[in-house]
Amino acid sequence: MVAQLNLVEGKMQYVYDENGRRYLDAFGGIATVSCGHCHPDVVEAIVNQTRLLQHTTVLYLNHNVVDFGEALAAKMPGELKVVFFTNSGTEANELALMMARLYTGCHDIISIRNGYHGNATSTMGVTAQFYHKFNVVQTGVHHVLNPDPYRGVFGLDGAKYANDVQDIINHGTCGHVAGFVAEAIQGVGGVIELAPGYLPAVYSIIKKAGGVFIADEVQSGFGRTGSHFWGFEAHGIVPDIVTLAKGIGNGAPIGAVVTTPEIAKVLKYAYYFSTFGGNPVCAAAGLAVLNVIEKDKLQQNAYVVGSYLKDRLNSLMEKHEIIGDVRGRGMLLGVELVKDRKLKTPVKDENMQILEQMKDMGVLVGKGGFYGNVLRITPPLCFNKEDADFLVDVMDYTMSKM
Amino acid sequence: MAALQSLLKRTTKPNRSDLLACRPFSSLRSSSATATQTITTPPPQIPPFDHQPHPYYGPSADEVFSKRKQFLGPSLFHFYQKPLNIVEGKMQYLYDEAGRRYLDAFAGIVTVSAGHCHPDILNAIFGQSKLLQHATTIYLHHAIADFAEALAAKMPGNLKVVYFVNSGSEANELAMLMARLYTGNLGMISLRNAYHGGSSSTMGLTALNTWKYPLPEGEIHHVMNPDPYRGVFGADADSYAKDVQDHIDYGTSGKVAGFIAETIQGVGGAVELVPGYLKNVYDIVHKAGGVCIADEVQTGFGRTGSHYWGFETQGVIPDIVTMAKGIGNGLPLGAVVTTPEIASVMAQKIQFNTFGGNPVCSAGGLAVLKVLDNEKRQAHCADVGSHLLERLRSLQQRHDIIGDVRGRGLMLGVELVTDQKNKTPAKAETAVLFEKLRELGILVGKGGLHGNVFRIKPPMCFSKDDADFFVDALDYFMTKL
């Protein structure tokens, strides 16, 4: 990661170091600062609520959690109407996996190679990059071929990749599974958009095997992809469970699971409780975020500016051999760097060098991908065209000097 | 602002006198008073408090409750037959939608340590929220380092490395991961009646059937609970410790990953482990290659009065300590503290927590530590706690329904039984008293596997007057039972 950068302040899409130097934050604290650093509406909601009541737990009533739950449910299609609040993406995915297993009575979960879903026991199991997996016991997980248009063996043929899911079910499980979990666009994995046609095909397969479909929207949610509010919408499917975190609170520690009333019932078997989950302050922040996304038209902005940015990055690809791929949607973009376009050999040190030099020039981007060779661009959604130009110009300059 | 205001509907504005702190509750005299009982004794009154709650114009209790059922799932449970709509808090008091004040004797489940909306903590939160809410630890920020340093300074031995997470469950998950990686062993040992979280692995450690779902847990051994009141060996630490050795000898390969315990069980009903138990068990576990984890989620930060950390009451130094709840006075914050040696296993791979250690929660956490120190809350817990304990023990002499009074500082439990000899849990009576206390303006907690234990774990600014009010109320209603 970028060494030694002491960030002490943030405002909208900019952050400031200890010397008061301003940087363009094109990483958004890992796709988390959705509205913008210290967005006045969100800060106001936090301050106003913190003054009144920080915490009592949901053992008592408080309007904030229901207002937020209602607003979130309203953004969901189909029967996705019941919301559970946690404190992180890991906790949300842990709960989703638990519900899938309880609902189906099965243990096996299928996830995609190169996916990232969290770092607790079950979530580390479905996470599929060895750098993030410790040598502990992992049960009930099967990792299928990654429908990666750029590096995947079947290119853009989503249906072919989906066959691997059926194969695993046929030969690696009892024929029935608890479910499938995937990010519509892999985040940590390097902004990989799942090949077209993949998710709908997998959806059918999973349903036939009695499983539930979990959409991890931790990075792709809340309008970031521009074309849709939720990443899964671009694939024309309606999941059974959706998990949320990161951008949901503009940085406030919030996670959420949205599911159907039917699936939600499984938790009635015993007591399930989150002490901090749904606390008034975070709920107020979350509701403010939804309102800001609407008011500031952030999804539309993500679409317009994101498309513009992607176009400019594609032009850059024509100019610099080191760019192997430009991909993503809206403001969830990735630039993969290679030594050789044909062999797609990942760069080794160049990515870090570019990251450092871009930082020196005032632009912060992220790093990802299994080989660490992908520049991840996930800014606060208030990022504008001038910012996009600056980012690309700086990238261009940096690459030219290499 | 517009967003917030559009949510607030104008309902009848509460009249000013309703907002006054000192409001006699004589109108709430129990209607179940029999002719033979004296009804001339008025019920006790909440101590005075100088704070004006804000007028509330938001949704009513009924509206909120109905929306909860619709949007938050059928599994969401709540306290009280008629759920309570809490809209404001100040120090050890809470206010409902009508501006009525309650004594908070449960602190949002042992979480509001410094006091609701403590000014120093508010300032820290506001100050930091206005500067920078979030960037993640891929960048530097002083708040997390300052907080980690301050927390480590509170720890004995070589407990110097801090990991920040967002909850107790996350903290215990991480502790388990470290234990397994460090030792290379799989088996974990936890106490029956313990609670350690609701995620995959922590649910395995949790040992109360009401909190467990039928899911695989991995290798977890639940040992006999060294419960002085209900345990088969009474207060004999050695016999309970033998059970741990037994499990290791017969149920494992002879080697384990670790042992975890709360020094005073929280959800389990304020059960304080038999003295001498942990020293004994830590020895056994270390010999079996395991590490010892102290779950300080509820007992930490001076709440026990006699010590800052619960484990100190047992004279041990754990290998890993987990914290949450009171650490942030309500901020979503958890932490794991361990030795550099154990922490080194985490360097094998990338383990990253997006929200963990964020500037706002770190600043808030540091402010909490400072408040607890500056306002000498630990000593206060010892002082008020011992007064409360003394009064509860006297009460126990007068009411047969009190089977046991236990705990330390402001982490106390009162177990109710219908039969002192058989210790039959008085579940129904506890429920009745629970409601009665609420009617009088006292919000207490409930726990124990049979729901027959009052958990008294208030914000650590709870006063002697509050304690007296609490005990007088309990006395008042128990007399009428």
Side-chain angles (χ1 to χ4, degrees):
Chain A
M1 303 296 182
V2 177
Q4 312 299 323
L5 185 55
N6 192 10
L7 290 182
V8 304
E9 191 168 336
K11 194 72 193 170
M12 300 312 278
Q13 66 267 47
Y14 307 104
V15 286
Y16 300 81
D17 71 11
E18 61 195 15
N19 300 312
R21 180 179 174 185
R22 181 165 61 104
Y23 298 81
L24 175 62
D25 183 5
F27 197 29
I30 316 182
T32 298
V33 182
S34 44
C35 301
H37 289 280
C38 303
H39 188 291
D41 292 7
V42 181
V43 173
E44 183 165 20
I46 289 171
V47 167
N48 286 346
Q49 186 54 49
T50 304
R51 272 210 176 98
L52 276 181
L53 188 72
Q54 167 85 52
H55 172 91
T56 50
T57 77
V58 289
L59 290 172
Y60 311 97
L61 304 178
N62 187 278
H63 73 92
N64 288 285
V65 65
V66 298
D67 291 341
F68 185 30
E70 179 175 26
L72 211 46
K75 288 296 207 186
M76 292 283 173
E79 278 303 297
L80 293 163
K81 295 190 179 332
V82 179
V83 188
F84 295 89
F85 289 109
T86 66
N87 310 293
S88 68
T90 288
E91 287 194 336
N93 282 329
E94 283 278 323
L95 181 55
L97 294 173
M98 177 166 122
M99 290 205 270
R101 286 166 162 150
L102 288 168
Y103 184 69
T104 59
C106 293
H107 187 53
D108 293 293
I109 296 274
I110 296 173
S111 68
I112 304 180
R113 290 169 214 172
N114 201 47
Y116 183 87
H117 299 289
N119 58 34
T121 307
S122 293
T123 41
M124 191 182 289
V126 291
T127 286
Q129 275 199 29
F130 80 79
Y131 299 109
H132 294 273
K133 298 170 80 69
F134 287 84
N135 187 18
V136 286
V137 172
Q138 168 180 285
T139 67
V141 205
H142 305 267
H143 306 104
V144 292
L145 272 177
N146 190 13
D148 177 350
Y150 181 61
R151 287 185 180 279
V153 65
F154 299 127
L156 280 155
D157 191 342
K160 280 224 174 81
Y161 292 109
N163 289 340
D164 190 52
V165 178
Q166 187 65 66
D167 220 39
I168 286 279
I169 292 176
N170 289 345
H171 300 280
T173 77
C174 65
H176 286 86
V177 295
F180 170 87
V181 60
E183 308 149 272
I185 301 181
Q186 294 179 337
V188 172
V191 193
I192 296 180
E193 264 191 281
L194 308 186
Y198 177 77
L199 286 187
V202 170
Y203 185 88
S204 302
I205 293 167
I206 293 295
K207 287 283 134 193
K208 276 206 205 80
V212 302
F213 192 102
I214 304 169
D216 180 337
E217 290 286 323
V218 167
Q219 295 205 18
S220 49
F222 296 95
R224 179 167 287 284
T225 57
S227 54
H228 300 84
F229 199 82
W230 305 114
F232 63 76
E233 292 177 298
H235 296 266
I237 48 126
V238 178
D240 301 299
I241 307 179
V242 183
T243 57
L244 312 166
K246 286 189 159 67
I248 191 176
N250 200 42
I254 308 174
V257 180
V258 189
T259 189
T260 65
E262 180 73 18
I263 293 175
K265 280 192 203 145
V266 297
L267 291 185
K268 288 178 72 174
Y269 180 91
Y271 295 138
Y272 175 81
F273 188 79
S274 171
T275 303
F276 295 131
N279 68 83
V281 174
C282 288
L287 183 60
V289 167
L290 284 179
N291 289 330
V292 166
I293 291 174
E294 179 103 16
K295 188 184 86 160
D296 292 1
K297 297 185 177 13
L298 294 181
Q299 184 186 326
Q300 292 91 307
N301 190 57
Y303 181 75
V304 169
V305 177
S307 313
Y308 175 75
L309 176 52
K310 196 174 181 187
D311 283 343
R312 284 223 54 199
L313 289 168
N314 278 320
S315 305
L316 206 67
M317 186 160 77
E318 286 165 28
K319 186 174 168 195
H320 296 285
E321 283 288 309
I322 198 174
I323 299 178
D325 195 28
V326 168
R327 55 194 184 233
R329 261 178 204 261
M331 290 194 196
L332 183 51
L333 301 174
V335 176
E336 179 149 0
L337 306 183
V338 295
K339 284 195 218 280
D340 179 324
R341 280 190 174 182
K342 205 152 154 256
L343 299 172
K344 299 178 184 173
T345 324
V347 297
K348 279 201 101 182
D349 304 314
E350 290 85 331
N351 201 25
M352 280 314 294
Q353 286 172 27
I354 289 171
L355 229 70
E356 286 282 342
Q357 279 166 40
M358 286 183 72
K359 175 206 76 171
D360 290 341
M361 293 185 71
V363 178
L364 306 181
V365 289
K367 188 168 75 95
F370 181 73
Y371 302 105
N373 68 326
V374 179
L375 294 169
R376 290 162 68 188
I377 301 162
T378 54
L381 304 180
C382 49
F383 200 74
N384 60 40
K385 277 203 171 125
E386 287 73 39
D387 298 321
D389 284 330
F390 181 53
L391 184 151
V392 179
D393 292 343
V394 164
M395 199 181 282
D396 187 6
Y397 182 87
T398 304
M399 288 176 177
S400 299
K401 283 182 69 187
M402 296 200 79
Chain B
M1 186 57 175
L4 192 65
Q5 283 199 323
S6 68
L7 297 172
L8 302 176
K9 300 196 299 260
R10 286 219 156 230
T11 54
T12 347
K13 192 170 183 175
N15 97 41
R16 251 188 109 66
S17 65
D18 287 348
L19 300 176
L20 288 176
C22 314
R23 183 176 171 224
F25 296 115
S26 52
S27 54
L28 294 170
R29 193 162 304 152
S30 173
S31 58
S32 62
T34 61
T36 53
Q37 288 182 315
T38 167
I39 56 169
T40 54
T41 333
Q45 287 189 28
I46 194 168
F49 185 58
D50 184 18
H51 173 75
Q52 187 87 302
H54 296 72
Y56 177 75
Y57 303 118
S60 67
D62 287 341
E63 287 174 72
V64 174
F65 190 46
S66 142
K67 284 202 174 163
R68 271 172 64 125
K69 285 192 281 204
Q70 192 182 356
F71 296 110
L72 303 185
S75 62
L76 191 65
F77 48 91
H78 56 270
F79 271 171
Y80 309 116
Q81 307 246 359
K82 193 169 182 312
L84 187 55
N85 192 13
I86 297 291
V87 304
E88 188 169 337
K90 193 74 192 171
M91 302 312 282
Q92 67 268 44
Y93 303 107
L94 290 171
Y95 298 83
D96 70 11
E97 61 194 16
R100 180 177 169 184
R101 183 164 58 101
Y102 297 81
L103 175 62
D104 184 4
F106 198 31
I109 315 182
V110 209
T111 297
V112 181
S113 45
H116 290 281
C117 303
H118 187 293
D120 292 6
I121 299 167
L122 291 193
N123 286 338
I125 294 172
F126 296 161
Q128 188 54 54
S129 298
K130 288 177 176 138
L131 276 180
L132 187 72
Q133 166 85 49
H134 171 92
T136 76
T137 52
I138 62 179
Y139 309 105
L140 303 178
H141 193 278
H142 71 92
I144 183 180
D146 293 343
F147 185 31
E149 180 176 26
L151 207 48
K154 290 291 191 191
M155 291 283 170
N158 211 18
L159 293 163
K160 299 198 172 329
V161 181
V162 187
Y163 290 87
F164 289 113
V165 294
N166 309 294
S167 67
S169 287
E170 286 195 345
N172 285 331
E173 279 272 338
L174 182 53
M176 272 178 88
L177 176 65
M178 287 184 191
R180 285 171 161 156
L181 290 171
Y182 182 71
T183 62
N185 300 322
L186 284 176
M188 287 291 302
I189 300 173
S190 68
L191 302 180
R192 290 172 210 170
N193 201 50
Y195 184 86
H196 295 292
S199 60
S200 308
S201 288
T202 53
M203 191 180 293
L205 297 176
T206 291
L208 288 149
N209 78 76
T210 39
W211 294 90
K212 294 170 81 71
Y213 292 83
L215 292 165
E217 298 182 346
E219 191 190 332
I220 312 240
H221 305 270
H222 302 107
V223 295
M224 263 189 209
N225 195 20
D227 177 347
Y229 180 59
R230 289 191 177 275
V232 65
F233 299 126
D236 180 358
D238 288 348
S239 297
Y240 292 114
K242 261 221 187 100
D243 189 52
V244 177
Q245 187 66 65
D246 232 38
H247 272 265
I248 292 175
D249 288 344
Y250 297 100
T252 76
S253 64
K255 296 248 168 246
V256 294
F259 168 87
I260 184 170
E262 309 149 272
T263 326
I264 301 180
Q265 295 176 333
V267 173
V271 175
E272 201 177 351
L273 309 187
V274 165
Y277 177 76
L278 285 187
K279 252 214 171 90
N280 210 321
V281 171
Y282 273 28
D283 227 19
I284 292 170
V285 172
H286 284 144
K287 284 204 184 80
V291 298
C292 298
I293 306 168
D295 179 330
E296 291 286 325
V297 167
Q298 296 205 13
T299 44
F301 302 97
R303 179 168 286 284
T304 56
S306 56
H307 299 80
Y308 198 83
W309 302 112
F311 61 78
E312 294 177 303
T313 65
Q314 292 255 337
V316 292
I317 297 181
D319 303 297
I320 307 177
V321 183
T322 57
M323 288 150 270
K325 287 191 159 69
I327 192 176
N329 200 44
L331 286 165
L333 184 54
V336 180
V337 184
T338 189
T339 64
E341 210 190 334
I342 293 174
S344 68
V345 299
M346 296 309 296
Q348 294 166 10
K349 298 288 166 137
I350 304 171
Q351 218 257 12
F352 186 79
N353 194 304
T354 305
F355 293 132
N358 65 84
V360 173
C361 289
S362 296
L366 184 59
V368 171
L369 287 184
K370 291 190 170 149
V371 164
L372 299 180
D373 275 349
N374 295 341
E375 298 183 12
K376 302 186 177 16
R377 294 303 180 81
Q378 183 185 323
H380 183 79
C381 284
D383 192 27
V384 177
S386 49
H387 172 78
L388 183 47
L389 208 51
E390 198 185 300
R391 286 220 55 203
L392 288 168
R393 295 219 156 103
S394 303
L395 203 69
Q396 188 178 15
Q397 302 300 317
R398 299 185 26 242
H399 296 283
D400 274 345
I401 198 174
I402 299 179
D404 195 28
V405 169
R406 56 194 183 233
R408 269 181 200 250
L410 288 177
M411 177 110 183
L412 304 175
V414 177
E415 180 153 359
L416 305 187
V417 296
T418 52
D419 177 339
Q420 292 265 352
K421 199 156 157 260
N422 297 318
K423 299 177 183 172
T424 321
K427 196 170 179 172
E429 290 83 345
T430 310
V432 167
L433 288 169
F434 190 65
E435 295 281 348
K436 290 282 176 213
L437 286 172
R438 172 259 178 101
E439 283 167 31
L440 196 61
I442 296 170
L443 307 182
V444 73
K446 222 166 25 132
L449 185 62
H450 304 289
N452 68 322
V453 181
F454 280 138
R455 295 164 67 188
I456 306 157
K457 301 157 186 186
M460 286 148 62
C461 47
F462 198 72
S463 67
K464 277 192 176 145
D465 286 345
D466 294 322
D468 286 334
F469 174 48
F470 179 85
V471 180
D472 292 341
L474 211 49
D475 189 8
Y476 181 81
F477 290 120
M478 281 180 174
T479 306
K480 286 167 176 289
L481 261 183

